[in-house]
Amino acid sequence: MLEHEYSWRERGGAALANAVQMERRAATRIPVIKSAKLLLGNAYNESVYNCLVLDEAANGVLVDLGSIFVLPEEMVLQMANGPSYRVRRCWSAGSKFGLEFIGGPLVSAETGAKMASLGRAVWTQAIPFVIAELRSQRFFGRDDVRCVAEEAEAAYRKLEAKLTGN
């Protein structure tokens, strides 16, 4: 058990009451109730625990597993119908755990493939046609239209590269 849990039990909950009064979080917490799963172990596929997210902030969440478990320092939090995050255990009290996000949302292989497909669709279906038409009309004789079209073409090439991972 963590030192925090020992001191709470020894003092009959007084330490927990003091901890509640001292807000140390940098980000504002938003109360929610969401289903999620904690994925543990090598490659995060050895154990799966269902949990509830009770509040969330930009940098982490409070989860309740419903029972007391010993969790590793790092794991993956998979939100139901939402993103997954690598998380670090910051504290625990009974069945509740404070988890800090490590980096941004994880992109699954399936999501990455969808993003790549969308990137190819953007480039192959829309931009080349529009730019070719504008060029065939010599940008309607306007330098400002030519500049904007070239900027749009460059922006879509960057978007395609990000979506396809190139």
Side-chain angles (χ1 to χ4, degrees):
M1 285 193 188
L2 298 174
E3 182 179 322
H4 174 267
E5 291 176 309
Y6 284 126
S7 64
W8 175 71
R9 287 192 178 138
E10 290 169 3
R11 296 182 207 159
L16 184 59
N18 290 338
V20 170
Q21 292 173 0
M22 281 182 23
E23 181 61 55
R24 296 183 309 234
R25 290 172 183 82
T28 303
R29 294 180 295 164
I30 300 167
V32 297
I33 297 180
K34 295 181 179 179
S35 295
K37 295 179 187 283
L38 287 172
L39 312 176
L40 288 60
N42 294 335
Y44 304 110
N45 63 0
E46 291 178 6
S47 298
V48 177
Y49 293 107
N50 292 317
C51 62
L52 286 176
V53 176
L54 300 179
D55 71 34
E56 59 188 3
N59 59 348
V61 294
L62 166 64
V63 298
D64 189 345
L65 275 79
S67 296
I68 297 174
F69 290 97
V70 176
L71 293 179
E73 184 176 336
E74 291 187 10
M75 63 211 97
V76 169
L77 175 70
Q78 185 179 58
M79 305 292 277
N81 300 319
S84 295
Y85 297 90
R86 281 189 50 226
V87 294
R88 179 179 300 114
R89 177 182 38 81
C90 296
W91 61 267
S92 66
S95 64
K96 294 183 173 76
F97 293 84
L99 306 176
E100 176 184 29
F101 296 140
I102 303 171
L106 300 174
V107 177
S108 68
E110 180 182 346
T111 300
K114 286 179 185 176
M115 290 171 59
S117 175
L118 288 171
R120 285 188 295 277
V122 164
W123 183 250
T124 59
Q125 295 176 14
I127 296 302
F129 173 77
V130 172
I131 298 297
E133 285 297 309
L134 288 170
R135 283 192 176 117
S136 74
Q137 298 298 317
R138 297 194 178 176
F139 298 101
F140 308 106
R142 295 180 52 186
D143 285 340
D144 60 336
V145 173
R146 180 186 54 75
C147 287
V148 170
E150 289 172 352
E151 290 170 3
E153 185 176 25
Y156 276 102
R157 285 184 193 267
K158 286 181 184 177
L159 176 62
E160 177 192 30
K162 289 290 183 189
L163 290 172
T164 59
N166 295 327

